[in-house]
Amino acid sequence: MTASTHSYCDDRIRLTVGDLTEQAVDVIVNAANSSLLGGGGVDGAIHRAGGPAILEACRALRQSEWPDGLPTGQVAITTGGKLPAPYVIHTVGPIYGQHDGNEAVLLAACYRNAIELAAERGLKRIAFPAISTGVYGYPPESAARVVSRTLSELLASGVAVDEIRLVFFDAQQMASFVTHQQFPR
Ligand code: ADP
């Protein structure tokens, strides 16, 4: 089974195994923390690969729109610096167990707000990491259900994006997503 066999919703949603920072799409999504000032995991990888321009743009966001940091579920866009993708949309996933049962709503908001912002900006191809499933502890099986339902609803509503790419760090993570996704057949 290869990565390319996994696509859903008329091929507008594609799954792949790889490094998010290497994706040549219009915009990649960062699983940031609310400080927007960098962290570990995929956030650290994005800042390392994209160079200092991303952090500079994030600092500017903290001095303007988001002085107290980016709230969970919200999004903000910056340059992609030296990344193949020209833009990064930063979002803050829920920390599992810390949102009084609203984790699924907040995780869905990350994906929905990122895609709606991309569509607004005319960015047609967007790549996501598995938000919150690392350090933030969201069980990947339930994330797969939430993400697949959210994305199929968005596409059904006619959102103007061509490709939503879900990037998994390893084959096992992608296989788990495939098992637990609930895209319409
Ligand atoms: P969070 O804090 O939202 O949980 P993490 O960065 O800890 O974010 O992890 C989110 C997911 O991203 C995890 O499944 C992790 O394995 C994956 N990940 C980490 N680095 C990369 C990368 N360079 N490309 C793609 N996925 C990555």
Side-chain angles (χ1 to χ4, degrees), residues 115-138:
I115 289 168
E116 286 176 348
L117 179 57
E120 239 174 75
R121 299 294 179 99
L123 304 170
K124 300 285 190 193
R125 293 172 308 146
I126 182 168
F128 284 91
I131 296 169
S132 285
T133 66
V135 172
Y136 281 5
Y138 208 112

Side-chain angles (χ1 to χ4, degrees), residues 127-152:
F128 284 91
I131 296 169
S132 285
T133 66
V135 172
Y136 281 5
Y138 208 112
E141 303 76 18
S142 24
R145 289 189 286 272
V146 171
V147 171
S148 55
R149 284 191 209 143
T150 303
L151 297 184
S152 38

Side-chain angles (χ1 to χ4, degrees), residues 18-54:
D19 186 336
L20 181 71
T21 66
E22 294 173 2
Q23 305 299 310
V25 288
D26 300 317
V27 56
I28 65 169
V29 176
N30 183 15
N33 59 54
S34 79
S35 81
L36 291 178
L37 301 178
V42 76
D43 192 6
I46 287 172
H47 283 281
R48 275 194 303 278
I54 301 177

